[in-house]
Amino acid sequence: MNGDEQLLNGQVYGAEHDDPNPGPLPNRTFAELVGGPLDGLLLYIHEWRTEEVDDGVALSTELGRWPGGRALYDPHPGEPRTPGPGVSCRFHYSGDTP
């Protein structure tokens, strides 16, 4: 893990780079991003329906195979989810798209 990747670990996806507190807010629900260019970031999913979580996400990033493209993250079937605030599930990297 290089220095840039270490800086991302534990931060929330989409937080401003100069935010003095880029970490998760209390009483909110997050998915941990695992693998790929956004490994270690948390994704805010506080008000997402179960179906939305099941669908996974395509997140804009300059760090993937195609700068300005999207990194694809999906939950693994059968992986446990914890209800309530905090990190409730994990989304695993499945590839990039332009």
Side-chain angles (χ1 to χ4, degrees):
M1 182 180 294
N2 68 29
D4 289 340
E5 291 168 332
Q6 288 176 339
L7 289 174
L8 294 177
N9 204 13
Q11 292 186 9
V12 177
Y13 170 82
E16 295 296 325
H17 70 280
D18 58 353
D19 186 339
N21 184 16
L25 297 172
N27 300 317
R28 299 290 187 258
T29 305
F30 299 90
E32 178 185 5
L33 301 177
V34 179
L38 304 176
D39 185 45
L41 287 177
L42 300 176
L43 178 65
Y44 179 71
I45 59 168
H46 186 67
E47 295 179 351
W48 288 25
R49 296 183 329 270
T50 300
E51 298 81 22
E52 292 173 307
V53 173
D54 290 343
D55 287 344
V57 293
L59 302 171
S60 297
T61 182
E62 296 295 322
L63 302 174
R65 182 173 174 191
W66 292 282
R70 296 183 181 273
L72 307 173
Y73 286 86
D74 300 293
H76 282 181
E79 191 168 82
R81 295 182 185 162
T82 306
V87 176
S88 71
C89 62
R90 299 186 309 168
F91 283 179
H92 299 268
Y93 176 71
S94 60
D96 292 312
T97 188

